[in-house]
Amino acid sequence: MLPSVLPARPALSDTTTTRKQLETSQSLAKVTTPQETAIFLCAVQDCHKLFPSRDRLMQHRKKEHGSDEDSNIITWNE
């Protein structure tokens, strides 16, 4: 299972992105909140794959892990 707090480390400066690239990327991104963005993580056997819904996660579990167990799910949406 993932730790609830990840260890801190120094940030690296971005020395290659141009102002034009930054301005272009702002039109492609959106600031969101946990209530607006569903994220479900599979925590079976340290898998940690991301899914947009519980249904998609459960499909993954059946296919990849051969299980329909409804535990070891990390999410903030429920």
Side-chain angles (χ1 to χ4, degrees):
M1 185 171 227
L2 289 174
S4 59
V5 178
L6 297 175
R9 57 183 165 168
L12 301 175
S13 296
D14 180 358
T15 59
T16 59
T17 303
T18 66
R19 179 172 293 282
K20 183 176 180 179
Q21 289 173 319
L22 181 61
E23 290 169 355
T24 301
S25 70
Q26 289 174 340
S27 67
L28 303 174
K30 176 186 172 197
V31 176
T32 187
T33 65
Q35 293 76 24
E36 295 174 330
T37 306
I39 297 176
F40 294 83
L41 285 89
C42 179
V44 170
Q45 302 167 350
D46 297 322
C47 177
H48 301 126
K49 290 186 179 179
L50 301 173
F51 298 92
S53 69
R54 180 175 287 276
D55 291 339
R56 293 282 302 274
L57 174 93
M58 296 310 293
Q59 290 173 2
H60 157 78
R61 290 250 174 114
K62 283 184 179 181
K63 182 179 177 186
E64 300 294 323
H65 302 297
S67 171
D68 59 357
E69 185 180 329
D70 197 15
S71 64
N72 292 327
I73 296 174
I74 302 168
T75 186
W76 58 48
N77 298 90
E78 296 176 346

